[in-house]
């Protein structure tokens, strides 16, 4: 019997997390995750690091390796774009809309396994890559780096939920949204090269998740304190995308109900 003393929002989030866990168990076993998914991501980081060595120097290689290891969390969070569109294709979104629960909280909590997976793979990569490559990392700062990585991943998750609001209305666009956002983060968020500082690209960089958080993570890895302005900026960016996500998802669901287009597609 449910505990009536638990606030409804917390119960809703709890059931969403439980559902999220069950979804993830259906996708992976420990063997397939560690021997397949994790290995692929580590190889991805090493591949880009090797390109950095071929194109530049050991310093460039270290810069690219750290950036690609740190960005695994935020990129993993983008998986919610496809999984939210999958709610519509699976026919579960219709049942959600006839309940009294807040659809945004349900969809956001159901997709949190992408955040957990991304943060775990990113943390493992940040531990393993410096053992294989000359990547400077203050091991004492690793807990702080992971904490900032969690903030950055959640910030990107808010962006992903905003994109999910678009994918609910246009399920066929989900891969284009994910790929386009991935390219933008890799190019303008300071992952492979320094983030732009002037011009319109700098404005885009400033409103992207990862830009400010990754800058703070790099400072921590080099033994410096994380700039408070960077942390506040990352939190503000995530909050702004979260508000937009709430608006876009709500509008998308209302549109599908109003137009009668919430059919399997």
């Amino acid at each position: 019997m449910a505990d009536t003393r638990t606030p409804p929002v917390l119960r809703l989030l709890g059931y969403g997390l439980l559902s999220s866990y069950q979804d993830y168990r259906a996708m992976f076993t420990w063997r397939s995750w560690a021997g397949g998914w994790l290995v692929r991501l580590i190889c991805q980081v090493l591949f880009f690091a090797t390109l950095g060595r071929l194109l530049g120097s050991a310093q460039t290689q270290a810069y690219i390796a750290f950036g690609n290891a740190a960005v695994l969390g935020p990129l993993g969070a983008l998986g919610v774009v496809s999984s939210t569109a999958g709610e519509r294709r699976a026919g579960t979104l219709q049942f959600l809309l006839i309940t009294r629960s807040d659809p945004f909280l349900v969809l956001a909590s159901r997709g949190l396994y992408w955040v957990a997976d991304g943060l775990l793979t990113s943390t493992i990569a940040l531990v393993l890559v410096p053992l294989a490559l000359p990547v400077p990392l203050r091991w004492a700062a690793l807990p702080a780096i992971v904490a900032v990585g969690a903030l950055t991943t959640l910030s990107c998750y808010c962006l992903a939920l905003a994109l999910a609001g678009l994918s609910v209305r246009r399920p066929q666009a989900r891969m284009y949204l994910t790929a386009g956002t991935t390219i933008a983060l890799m190019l303008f968020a300071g992952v492979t090269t320094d983030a732009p500082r002037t011009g319109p690209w700098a404005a885009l960089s400033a409103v992207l998740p990862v830009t400010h958080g990754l800058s703070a993570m790099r400072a921590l890895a080099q033994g410096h304190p994380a700039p408070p302005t960077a942390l506040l900026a990352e939190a503000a960016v995530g909050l702004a995308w979260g508000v937009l996500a709430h608006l876009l998802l709500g509008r998308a669901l209302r549109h599908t109900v109003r137009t009668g287009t919430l059919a399997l597609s």
Side-chain angles (χ1 to χ4, degrees), residues 144 148 213 215-217 219-220 223-231:
V148 177
S215 174
M217 293 171 74
L220 288 167
H224 307 299
T229 52
L231 299 177

Side-chain angles (χ1 to χ4, degrees), residues 80-155:
V80 76
V81 179
S82 293
S83 64
T84 301
E87 298 278 2
R88 177 174 176 175
R89 297 196 312 274
T92 55
L93 203 55
Q94 291 92 322
F95 294 101
L96 171 62
L97 291 177
I98 64 176
T99 69
R100 292 181 295 176
S101 302
D102 185 339
F104 177 78
L105 288 178
V106 173
L107 293 174
S109 59
R110 273 178 58 81
L112 281 175
Y113 62 87
W114 295 111
V115 174
D117 174 84
L119 186 59
L120 180 58
T121 54
S122 179
T123 301
I124 294 174
L126 287 170
V127 171
L128 294 182
V129 170
L131 300 178
L133 300 172
V135 177
L137 176 63
R138 301 275 182 169
W139 293 104
L142 186 60
I145 293 173
V146 172
V148 177
L151 170 64
T152 306
T153 301
L154 286 171
S155 178

Side-chain angles (χ1 to χ4, degrees), residues 45 48-49 51-52 59-69 191-192 218:
V45 174
F48 282 108
L51 288 181
Q59 184 177 4
T60 302
Q61 181 185 36
Y63 186 94
I64 294 177
F66 185 88
N68 277 269
V191 177
T192 54
R218 291 190 187 278

Side-chain angles (χ1 to χ4, degrees), residues 3 10 33 43 72 76 87 89 91 148 159 192 208 255 259:
D3 185 357
L10 293 182
W33 183 85
C43 289
L72 289 180
E87 298 278 2
R89 297 196 312 274
V148 177
L159 166 61
T192 54
L208 284 176
H255 173 81
T259 59

